[in-house]
Amino acid sequence: MKNSSLSRPTPDFQALFQSAPGLYLVLTPDLNIVAVSDAYLRATMTKREEILGRGIFDVFPDNPDDPSATGVRNLRTSLQRVIQDKTPDTMAVQKYDIRKPESEGGGFEERFWSPVNLPVFGSDKGVVYIIHRVEDVTEFVRLKQQTLEQEKLAEKLRTHAGQMEAEVYQRAAEVQEANRHLEAANQALLRELAERKKAQEALVRSEKWFSTTLASIGDAVITTDMNGGVTFMNSVAQSLTGWTQAEATGKSMDLVFDIVNKETRRPVENPVKKVLREGKVVGLADHTLLLSKDGKEFDIEDSAAPILTDTGERFGVVLVFRDITEKKQAEEETKRQKELLQLILASIADGVVVADSNGKFLLFNAAAEQVLGIGATDTAPGKWSDQYGVYLPDTVTQFPPDQLPLVRAIRGESVDAVELFIRNPQVPEGRLLSINGRPLKRPDGALQGGVVVFHDITLQKRAQETLVQAREQAVRASKFKDQFLSTMSHELRTPLNAVLGFSDLLADERYGSLNDRQRRYVTHIHTGGTHLLKLITDILDLSKIEAGRMEIVCEDVSIASAFGEVLSALQPLADKKSQCLTQEVEPRLYVRADATRFKQILMNLVGNAIKFTPETGRIELVARQVGGQVRLEVRDNGAGIAPEEQQRIFEAFYRLAQTGSATEGTGLGLAITARLVELHGSKLEIESKPGEGTCFYFSLPLLAIAPDEPARTTIAAPRTGKTPRILVVEDNAATGQLIQSQLTSSGYETLRCDQPERAIEMAAEHQPDAITLDLLMQPVHGLEVLLQLKNDPRTLKIPVIVVTIVDRPGVGTALGADEYLVKPVDKATLLAAVERCLRSRGAAAPIRAILVVEDDASTREMIEELLTTRGYPVITAADGAQARARVAHALPELVILDLVLPKMSGLELLAEWRGNPRTADLPVFVLTSKDLTKEEEKYVRAHAESLFRKQHSWREPLMKQLERVVTSQILEDA
């Protein structure tokens, strides 16, 4: 669904600005005009094309005919405060005359303004523009002046009337003429009084308009008469002083505007008095506090100016002030941070030097002076190498002055880990330094200079040289050791072969019979000799490899053939521990390798897996094509290897301890194997987690694809149903391998997609039973992949489990995620989510009952209770005959079968069911306490899904395997 906001037109902000009713100018930090509102153009009688790009004071200069004009000076001071302090600045009412166009006679027209200057910040917090807003208060000032003029006129009229009355008495003879003149004067007076009344009404309206305007601005405003009595206060002034307009009217400014010096707390002269005395604009000194009537205190700054008539006569004072408490706090914080920075730079051990674009040092911390031996000087950059004694690391050649790290940084270059040598009279022995440098730039990208940070690496270099010497000595000693071992091993082999040969002859009955004790002793001799021969052979191989004398004779090797030989040789060892030894190799895989050494590698890896995997464990030998390589793996589900030991196990003579048993072997097998793999141009890697088994793997280049050769899969493992397949969509290799490991170790088949843009096609092609999906992937976000999966008919019904670090499950659910897990996710949580998804996908196919075949009533009841509490329907049978009847009547979902049963044994039932096409694929779990012969165990593992022994811990493994098999069966049936 499209967002409705996309259909709305984008406002034309330039047109909106130009049409705004307020009077606005937009200035750059160098005070050039870049934008202006139409209202401002009308008020100043200018044209946009004539003023844009010009300096504000070129367009609006002072009136040359007014020597007392201060408009330019005051405005420039305010704008500079905005740039410096990065805070708004409100000015007092200013007299600033405007030049009239030549079409209107030219010259200047008197104007009064109330200006406010506001900073506009860029992304780097610097001032990029200044908004200059004004209000034309000329009419307000003139009306004030006109009121005074009218009062003077009325006084003159009263005087004139008195004079006329005197003339009446003095000139009785001229009464009639005087009456006529008096009538005329009275008429004129009436007209004048009418005009005065209109002017007073206009004045009231104007005063109300200006009162409203002054009440709405951000600064405090107070006006007084010529005696310093308050005549007006706006709301901000009332709030700061604590006086209301009614309370303050007529009161002295000394009482209402109570100010003291912040540091001395002594009274400060009221600026209104100073204006009344000097007749000019004044401002307060710094550190001024306003004491409010209600006990509050405010840092303030202000300006006061006389109110003048048209003739220049003063009739009052206007005071404009503002609360700068926060500004002062910000200044103090800035000062504190600067002091802290200075303290840090003075305390750090690394030298720090800063210079401007002309090479003048701006900062030279104490560490820099201590390391260089010389502090900041006025020397030009071209002479720094001479001044400070700078040489190349060879300690002889002078460092080129134009390549010094600070010089390069001033030019705009970034410098990393440049080494140079310092030697001067203050540092006679010299020091080797490592230097990093960066250019200093303004927000607009202009270069301002450069900075370098450096430290003394003399001791570090000496230690490195010592380490190199020690390493060379160790290499020589190792070569001597290898040569010695190689020689001694050959000398030991000759007598040892005689020991082994004669011990074999003694054991041969043709040379005479031995009693049991003698036979046991001969066996001990032969076993010990064989072990010693293997040790000598391993030492000889390792010595040859370390000495570089191991020869590899490569030929075309069939992977399938090599696997067959290795498994054939080691199968008896696996059988002794009832282990499942399997191989899986893709068809027609050949590599170029030394056949003997290649099989030795495989024999060592598989032999180790058999040794360290517990009884009934599983060992897999796998080969598959990955691109142009053949990846060979030996996996087991043994105890795993701790992370801290995973690299040490490749060290010679390091032996991995087994819990609860003596440490076996010589510790040479994996060391030799790893080096043999390296001789083949590859590297032996390991993936292992304690408790989850181990996988050793390496890759060799694929040689060729031979003619059709059937894929070989030899499995001596239990038969299972369809294994659920999970697609892991994760672009982080480590995380993807972890999720795969968690799933595969729990019986799932996994596929990995590390390119999110291919996730849809892989899902459509392989049709996995579920998908795990990360969100923060490149180049396609996981939410986009999720939307595609849920909108593609081919993948719509596949459950998706989001596994991500983004904690927004609501968004994932809204877009169709079946599960939402927030990393880190433990294995149990992941498996539970997967199993819920698999169940939900197969919900349309109801689960049939599970048949429990067990003759012991208490055990049968316990299994039944265990299953029913998990939601499984259960039917039971107490003997073999009952079980046969139950299955004949209706196929159960799965059978949990004891082998020791009345009337008919479990083995007989299993054989009968496997021989019947109707029950051939019926899942069967064998749960028994019977001691099985090798033949019986082999048969059970081949024809049952799982084998659990009652004498071991079986409940949790049985339930986990049950959930997988039942879920898989539901999906298969669906």
Side-chain angles (χ1 to χ4, degrees), residues 75-87:
L75 179 56
R76 187 187 304 276
T77 301
S78 175
L79 293 173
Q80 288 174 347
R81 277 201 300 269
V82 172
I83 295 172
Q84 179 179 349
D85 299 341
K86 299 182 180 179
T87 58

Side-chain angles (χ1 to χ4, degrees), residues 389-622:
V390 187
Y391 300 89
L392 293 175
D394 63 9
T395 73
V396 176
T397 309
Q398 189 178 64
F399 208 102
D402 63 338
Q403 293 300 310
L404 288 170
L406 184 54
V407 175
R408 292 174 59 188
I410 292 173
R411 289 201 300 262
E413 301 178 37
S414 292
V415 182
D416 292 302
V418 171
E419 294 184 2
L420 52 80
F421 188 76
I422 293 290
R423 184 174 57 243
N424 55 53
Q426 283 69 37
V427 189
E429 295 183 358
R431 293 190 177 105
L432 188 64
L433 308 183
S434 176
I435 304 183
N436 296 308
R438 292 293 183 272
L440 294 178
K441 297 182 179 180
R442 294 193 185 96
D444 60 0
L447 284 171
Q448 285 187 292
V451 56
V452 292
V453 179
F454 53 88
H455 60 278
D456 186 353
I457 60 170
T458 307
L459 296 179
Q460 178 183 341
K461 280 292 183 180
R462 290 173 182 170
Q464 290 177 351
E465 292 172 358
T466 302
L467 185 63
V468 170
Q469 294 173 358
R471 186 181 296 112
E472 291 174 350
Q473 292 175 358
V475 170
R476 286 195 298 271
S478 178
K479 287 183 178 180
F480 293 150
K481 175 206 69 175
D482 294 336
Q483 292 172 358
F484 170 78
L485 289 175
S486 177
T487 302
M488 291 304 297
S489 295
H490 283 87
E491 295 299 324
L492 288 172
R493 264 187 166 177
T494 301
L496 189 57
N497 283 332
V499 171
L500 291 174
F502 285 113
S503 65
D504 282 338
L505 292 176
L506 286 174
D508 193 336
E509 293 291 337
R510 291 177 297 174
Y511 297 96
S513 298
L514 300 176
N515 58 37
D516 291 341
R517 177 179 293 182
Q518 291 170 333
R519 190 176 294 106
R520 188 167 64 251
Y521 290 168
V522 169
T523 302
H524 289 334
I525 293 171
H526 191 274
T527 300
T530 303
H531 178 74
L532 184 57
L533 179 61
K534 184 179 186 306
L535 175 60
I536 292 172
T537 302
D538 286 346
I539 291 173
L540 181 59
D541 285 346
L542 184 62
S543 299
K544 285 183 177 179
I545 293 171
E546 297 292 351
R549 296 195 300 272
M550 173 68 76
E551 296 181 2
I552 298 295
V553 181
C554 292
E555 58 184 286
D556 296 351
V557 177
S558 166
I559 301 296
S561 175
F563 277 18
E565 292 183 38
V566 171
L567 263 65
S568 175
L570 297 179
Q571 186 66 53
L573 294 177
D575 289 342
K576 288 181 179 179
K577 300 179 71 174
S578 300
Q579 292 170 334
C580 174
L581 184 59
T582 70
Q583 65 160 319
E584 183 177 343
V585 54
E586 292 182 2
R588 296 169 292 166
L589 292 182
Y590 281 77
V591 294
R592 188 77 175 168
D594 184 305
T596 301
R597 298 303 179 184
F598 181 68
K599 282 182 278 188
Q600 181 181 353
I601 292 169
L602 299 179
M603 292 281 283
N604 283 348
L605 293 177
V606 176
N608 267 359
I610 294 172
K611 182 191 302 181
F612 291 101
T613 301
E615 292 187 3
T616 70
R618 181 182 181 87
I619 298 147
E620 298 174 279
L621 191 55
V622 180

Side-chain angles (χ1 to χ4, degrees), residues 31-197:
L31 306 185
N32 288 330
I33 300 171
V34 295
V36 60
S37 67
D38 295 337
Y40 195 102
L41 294 173
R42 290 193 296 272
T44 58
M45 297 179 285
T46 54
K47 296 181 180 180
R48 182 174 282 106
E49 62 272 17
E50 293 176 353
I51 69 173
L52 288 181
R54 296 177 59 193
I56 185 171
F57 300 116
D58 294 334
V59 178
F60 302 108
D62 276 334
N63 185 350
D65 298 327
D66 183 1
S68 64
T70 60
V72 169
R73 184 183 66 209
N74 295 341
L75 179 56
R76 187 187 304 276
T77 301
S78 175
L79 293 173
Q80 288 174 347
R81 277 201 300 269
V82 172
I83 295 172
Q84 179 179 349
D85 299 341
K86 299 182 180 179
T87 58
D89 190 89
T90 302
M91 300 177 63
V93 173
Q94 301 289 319
K95 179 179 180 298
Y96 204 132
D97 297 342
I98 296 300
R99 183 161 45 198
K100 295 193 293 186
E102 294 299 326
S103 60
E104 294 186 22
F108 282 74
E109 181 175 302
E110 183 184 65
R111 291 289 185 87
F112 292 85
W113 310 90
S114 176
V116 177
N117 300 306
L118 306 166
V120 178
F121 301 106
S123 59
D124 60 347
K125 307 301 182 183
V127 177
V128 295
Y129 296 104
I130 303 172
I131 297 177
H132 174 60
R133 173 173 64 83
V134 298
E135 291 182 13
D136 189 347
V137 297
T138 305
E139 287 300 319
F140 172 73
V141 175
R142 287 178 179 171
L143 285 173
K144 284 283 188 181
Q145 295 170 345
Q146 186 177 356
T147 300
L148 293 176
E149 292 295 325
Q150 289 172 349
E151 290 176 353
K152 291 179 181 179
L153 179 59
E155 183 64 31
K156 289 180 181 180
L157 288 175
R158 285 193 292 272
T159 303
H160 181 61
Q163 292 173 347
M164 288 179 65
E165 186 176 356
E167 288 179 4
V168 169
Y169 288 101
Q170 293 173 2
R171 300 178 184 179
E174 300 175 358
V175 171
Q176 291 181 352
E177 185 66 26
N179 285 339
R180 284 197 299 272
H181 284 294
L182 182 59
E183 181 68 25
N186 285 336
Q187 292 297 325
L189 179 60
L190 289 173
R191 287 193 300 272
E192 198 167 330
L193 290 174
E195 291 177 358
R196 178 182 176 186
K197 183 178 180 181

Side-chain angles (χ1 to χ4, degrees), residues 719 848 851 883-895 897 904 907-925 939 942-945 969:
R719 187 186 63 81
R848 298 188 298 271
L851 173 59
R884 173 196 276 174
R886 297 274 194 195
V887 173
H889 179 263
L891 276 178
E893 187 73 34
L894 178 143
V895 177
L897 177 66
M904 188 175 188
L907 287 172
E908 291 174 328
L909 279 173
L910 184 59
E912 181 177 303
W913 288 336
R914 292 296 175 247
N916 187 335
R918 176 173 172 270
T919 55
D921 293 325
L922 175 63
V924 176
F925 284 4
Y939 182 87
H943 294 88
E945 269 59 28
Q969 190 64 35

